Amino acid sequence: MANEHLIDDCIFCKIIRGEIPSHKIAETDKAYSFLDINPISEGHALVIPKYHGEFFHQVPDDYLADILPLARKVALAIGLDEGQYNLLQNNGPMAHQVVPHVHFHIIPKPNKEEGLIVGWPMKEANQDNLKQLLGKIKEKL
Ligand code: 5GP
Ligand code: ZN
């Protein structure tokens, strides 16, 4: 994989390069999807371009073109064809962007028993639970 569009000092560039571990769901030549480490609901996943850009509009078309098909594939594997979810992308700190590498969140909505998500109730996920969940998602890819 060509790394010329990644930078050294970025957590998501490091994840793409494999320098920081992640629960990878799937990838293409130009996009990468993995489980969020602080999920706000079970199955919360991220899809990122293999191109370092802070803002959506800075990412070239060929990288953006890989993102939504991969997001759909991941959403289906998470089982969201039977559920409700947000596909969310934030730009800049005032728009709640914390990691300055473009990313799309796939956020499953809880079922009626669990109720609505209010705010951004992130929790540190248990690594074993994430691993187990990843196995289930990958079986459905
Ligand atoms: P933002 O607020 O920038 O839109 O969201 C950044 C997301 O990245 C957050 O949901 C956060 O939990 C996630 N995140 C930050 N660092 C890491 C990491 O090292 N690994 C993973 N898997 N997710 C991360
Ligand atoms: Zn980056």
Side-chain angles (χ1 to χ4, degrees):
M1 195 235 340
N3 279 348
E4 71 263 29
H5 298 300
L6 304 178
I7 64 167
D8 289 339
D9 187 21
C10 167
I11 200 159
F12 285 178
C13 286
K14 286 182 179 169
I15 283 177
I16 292 166
R17 280 197 299 263
E19 292 166 17
I20 292 180
S22 69
H23 294 93
K24 181 178 95 176
I25 301 170
E27 67 181 315
T28 68
D29 278 353
K30 294 190 165 66
Y32 187 98
S33 179
F34 55 113
L35 289 175
D36 196 294
I37 205 166
N38 294 130
I40 64 169
S41 62
E42 185 174 287
H44 183 172
L46 299 171
V47 185
I48 63 177
K50 291 181 177 176
Y51 180 100
H52 182 83
E54 179 172 2
F55 293 95
F56 172 72
H57 60 265
Q58 294 169 337
V59 180
D61 286 357
D62 53 339
Y63 285 83
L64 291 181
D66 267 23
I67 292 204
L68 291 184
L70 181 58
R72 175 168 51 199
K73 194 173 164 190
V74 169
L76 289 170
I78 290 172
L80 295 174
D81 50 333
E82 291 164 11
Q84 299 185 33
Y85 60 100
N86 291 108
L87 187 58
L88 176 71
Q89 200 272 318
N90 301 319
N91 293 279
M94 287 178 68
H96 305 291
Q97 183 183 17
V98 175
V99 177
H101 179 129
V102 167
H103 49 278
F104 286 72
H105 295 261
I106 301 173
I107 307 170
K109 289 303 180 191
N111 54 36
K112 282 189 185 127
E113 290 73 55
E114 287 175 75
L116 286 173
I117 297 176
V118 178
W120 192 266
M122 68 179 183
K123 332 171 201 27
E124 196 170 339
N126 173 301
Q127 291 299 311
D128 290 338
N129 291 351
L130 281 187
K131 216 167 151 185
Q132 221 175 20
L133 178 63
L134 182 66
K136 284 190 203 154
I137 294 171
K138 284 170 101 169
E139 272 172 23
K140 292 220 240 157
L141 272 175

